[in-house]
Amino acid sequence: MPDLAAYAGLFAIAFAAATLIPAQSEIALASLLVAGQQPVVLLLAVASLGNIAGSALNWGLGRGVARFRDRRWFPVSVQALARAEGWYRRWGRWSLLLSWAPVIGDPLTVAAGVLKEPFLPFLALVALAKVGRYLVVAAVALGLA
């Protein structure tokens, strides 16, 4: 049961971190890796899936932004969304490779939805970025880098 709780907690933190809720999924992942009680590959998969799922939620919110943009609960400020839309218009779908980055990454995933990026290319680029970030975190946490 403790393993299930660790995986569920990591998934939830990684999901929340991708949706602009303040959460430090990198610290949670690194802590679990250093503890060494779960397989590294499984921890990387759970964190990645949670973070990618959170970004997919942002994409879905972006698709419906016209209806919800002015709501207080909407996860991206008008300024952050405008900045992300600018990046997205300039660099196109390749800007999603920065979806792992603090401050701009989450608004980029919303902007992708706003600008009607097809879901499969969105998913592929975001997955590449998110998995890559967690691989770097794992390498640092395990002393491989």
Side-chain angles (χ1 to χ4, degrees):
M1 190 62 157
D3 281 348
L4 182 58
Y7 296 132
L10 180 59
F11 183 91
I13 289 169
F15 183 91
T19 60
L20 297 179
I21 296 172
Q24 296 297 317
S25 61
E26 297 86 359
I27 293 170
L29 175 61
S31 298
L32 289 168
L33 289 167
V34 169
Q37 296 179 1
Q38 290 88 15
V40 171
V41 172
L42 194 52
L43 289 173
L44 287 169
V46 168
S48 297
L49 288 172
N51 212 240
I52 293 164
S55 292
L57 175 66
N58 288 347
W59 178 87
L61 287 172
R63 294 294 287 214
V65 77
R67 292 186 305 227
F68 304 119
R69 176 178 271 181
D70 298 328
R71 306 268 172 105
R72 186 184 325 179
W73 55 262
F74 192 74
V76 181
S77 71
V78 173
Q79 296 82 9
L81 186 57
R83 187 171 41 250
E85 285 178 5
W87 271 82
Y88 204 84
R89 288 186 198 283
R90 181 170 182 197
W91 300 104
R93 69 174 43 143
W94 300 108
S95 65
L96 290 170
L97 292 173
L98 293 174
S99 62
W100 65 269
V103 181
I104 64 165
D106 300 332
L108 276 173
T109 60
V110 175
V114 169
L115 298 173
K116 310 284 192 242
E117 178 66 41
F119 186 68
L120 289 180
F122 166 86
L123 190 62
L125 290 168
V126 167
L128 184 63
K130 304 288 187 160
V131 170
R133 183 231 356 240
Y134 286 133
L135 286 172
V136 170
V137 168
V140 170
L142 298 172
L144 303 174

